[in-house]
Amino acid sequence: MAETVPVRCPVCSRDHLYAPTPYPCACGAPLAPPMLRGAPPERITHRTWTDDWVTVGCQECGRQDQWPQPELGCPCGTVLRIPVRPVSAPLPASPAATSARAFVRPAPVPLPRTVTAARPTFRPVTIRTARDAVTAAARYLKWLGFRDVVQPEVRPSSGIDLRGPGLVAQVDPSTRPATLRDVECLWLNGLNISAASVFFSLAGYAEDATYRADRLGIPLFVLDLTGSPQPVNGPADELISTGA
C-alpha cells in the first residue's frame, strides 16, 4: 500500500491524511511517488503542464519515469501540491514496500461507508491536455451510474462539456479556481432542462463558489493529473454515496 502522510491546508487549517494512488510500472510492480514527510504542501494558484510531473524510480526494476505530481483538494476549495522526495534521495526501509509488490493494480477510489452496492474499480485517465480532463470526467460520471454521457467535438459557448439524460457537467481545465459565476451558470443550464449539474475543476474553487454550490446542491470535484476526481463538498460526497 502507498504510504500515508498528514497534510494541513494552509488556508483553512483542516487536517487530512493523503495517500498517493499507485500505478503499475512497466515491470508490473506497483509504483507511487514517495512522499516527503514533514514538508509543507504548496497551494496551487497557477498551473503549467510541464511542472506538474515528477520523476519516480521503481525499486523492483530500477526504471525511472514521469508520474503526475500528487495533489489534494481541500473542502475549502484549495488545491494543494504534495511534496515528493527526489528520486535521488535514499529511501527508508519499510516492510510494507515488500508486501506492496503483490499488488499490481491501481488502488480503487475510496467510497463512503454508506455505499450499499460495490462498484468496480474506477480506472482513471492520466491528464496531459484539456481534452484529457473532459475524458476523465466523462469516465467518472459513467462510473457513478450516469448513462450515455457524451462530449461535443467543439466546446459550446454555454461551457457545458458533457451531457447525458438528466445531466449537464462542466470541466474547467484552466489554471484559475472556478468562480461563483461559473457555478451559477452551470446551475442555470441544468435548471433550464431539469437536469442535475456536476462541476469538475483542475485548480479548485473560489470560496464563494463552493458556498454557493453547497446551497444549490451542485457536486464539486477536483481533478488531479492522475484523472482521479476528489469530492470537495457535501453534494459531491452524497453523489458518490448514492450514485446516479
Side-chain angles (χ1 to χ4, degrees), residues 214 232-239:
D214 287 341
V232 297
N233 68 344
D237 287 328
E238 183 177 355
L239 179 58

Side-chain angles (χ1 to χ4, degrees), residues 42-54 66-69 71 81 127-130 173-176 202-203 225:
E42 176 188 353
R43 183 182 182 186
I44 298 177
T45 58
H46 177 73
R47 283 186 182 276
T48 59
W49 293 107
T50 55
D51 291 340
D52 283 333
W53 299 86
V54 294
Q66 294 295 303
W67 294 75
Q69 170 77 44
E71 296 175 3
R81 182 179 288 118
I127 297 175
R128 290 184 172 87
T129 67
S174 70
T175 59
R176 62 163 181 82
L202 259 72
L225 293 182

